[in-house]
Amino acid sequence: MSTTLELAKALIARRSLTPDDAGCQDILIERLEKLGFVIERLRFGNVDNFWARRGTTAPVVCFAGHTDVVPSGPIEQWDSEPFTPTIRDGYLFGRGAADMKTSLAAFITAIEEFTAAHPDHSGSIALLITSDEEGVAIDGTVKVVETLKARNELIDYCIVGEPTCVNKLGDMVKNGRRGSLSGKLTVKGVQGHIAYPHLAKNPIHMAAPAIAELAATEWDSGNEYFPPTSWQISNIKGGTGVTNVIPGTVEILFNFRFSTASTVEGLKQRVHAVLDRHGLEYDLHWELSGRPFLTPRGSLVAALGSAIKEVTGLDTELSTTGGTSDGRFIADICPQVCELGPPNATIHKINECVAVSEIEPLKDIYRTTLRNLLVHV
């Protein structure tokens, strides 16, 4: 059993449901302290986080990730107990195997091997680890970033260990993510009897033309790295549940997944303009889950791409698809943030797993990236 596989199994065995770290961070910290890392435990609310750093000079290369996992779902549907790491048919099964305890293990063993080979490397190596990524994400990475920013401690390069690959290890690196902006729209009408529509105002009918216009709007054209911004309705609720009452209000929940080609303020203004143009009486409450971030081709993209090519022979693809990640917070103090982890086909699913044959190569990619960034810079 490789050192990385052994560590991944030890982490998977911890029942670390968000926001409970269940001792995973203790395992990581013990290994890091032996390498001379200075550890700063940062607990906010009921969330455990830590910031670890080896070195005091730039550039700072940071590995970021989370020890928490989503619930297992119906245990009887798993082929093996989700928190008992099990190797079967060439795969390591367990909750968190892909998202993202194998990446955490590979961070540690890559750093161990790199520092053994290059004890006097340039710059610094850091880790930013949270137990609040899969949950509400208000006391995790965002708070650590605020702490670092307040004392002007910045990061030059950050590799987030989220599962990014599609078919095989190394085939995709996320060099950015779209932002997420949600709205709760309540259109107001006048409730009344369905047989006397002239005595009522149907908010669903009034909202329909505005909805059609919002759905047909081209918000932007995207850019080299991002697809066009998308506006989607997720829920509509109106009425009393009977067929003879015109509702007094209709509630519409919608979401923008938006690129760097648009701004939060611009999207809000355009939505309000449409609603106002249609003469609607409404309330609209906004919630910004994350701004988009983008790392164009540069030092980090090149270092990762070169490492992937050296270890796997693949020419990696850059992508900004998928949901949000903690990279959106880290980008506030780091100009170059990329995500690389194992294939994501089984994340959050029953029988989550990673191929055992890809665990050591993942570690090798991380180690080689450190070499590319910190040796002879």
Side-chain angles (χ1 to χ4, degrees), residues 70-109:
V70 297
S72 63
I75 294 178
E76 66 275 8
Q77 295 183 20
W78 285 71
D79 294 333
S80 53
E81 206 279 329
F83 294 99
T84 300
T86 304
I87 296 176
R88 185 172 63 252
D89 301 324
Y91 288 85
L92 172 63
F93 289 85
R95 176 56 83 223
D99 190 11
M100 53 173 286
K101 291 184 174 180
T102 296
S103 294
L104 295 176
F107 287 168
I108 300 299
T109 55

Side-chain angles (χ1 to χ4, degrees), residues 286-353:
W286 295 96
E287 180 179 354
L288 177 65
S289 300
R291 296 180 183 273
F293 72 91
L294 175 65
T295 298
R297 289 174 177 84
S299 302
L300 181 56
V301 168
L304 277 168
S306 174
I308 291 168
K309 181 72 172 180
E310 182 175 330
V311 173
T312 70
L314 296 177
D315 294 310
T316 195
E317 175 186 353
L318 296 180
S319 173
T320 60
T321 58
T324 59
S325 78
D326 276 0
R328 69 192 190 274
F329 304 127
I330 299 167
D332 195 36
I333 60 170
C334 181
Q336 299 188 53
V337 180
C338 286
E339 303 173 24
L340 172 67
N344 56 26
T346 65
I347 61 174
H348 292 205
K349 292 185 177 181
I350 303 294
N351 291 325
E352 179 180 352
C353 62

Side-chain angles (χ1 to χ4, degrees), residues 184-187 206-214 219 231 252 254 267-286:
K184 179 181 178 181
L185 171 65
T186 302
V187 178
M206 294 189 298
I211 292 173
E213 182 174 343
L214 291 168
W219 302 96
W231 181 85
I252 300 164
F254 63 83
L267 293 174
K268 287 182 178 180
Q269 290 171 1
R270 293 177 68 185
V271 169
H272 282 284
V274 170
L275 299 175
D276 294 340
R277 187 165 57 251
H278 286 272
L280 300 179
E281 183 182 358
Y282 66 91
D283 291 325
L284 178 50
H285 299 282
W286 295 96

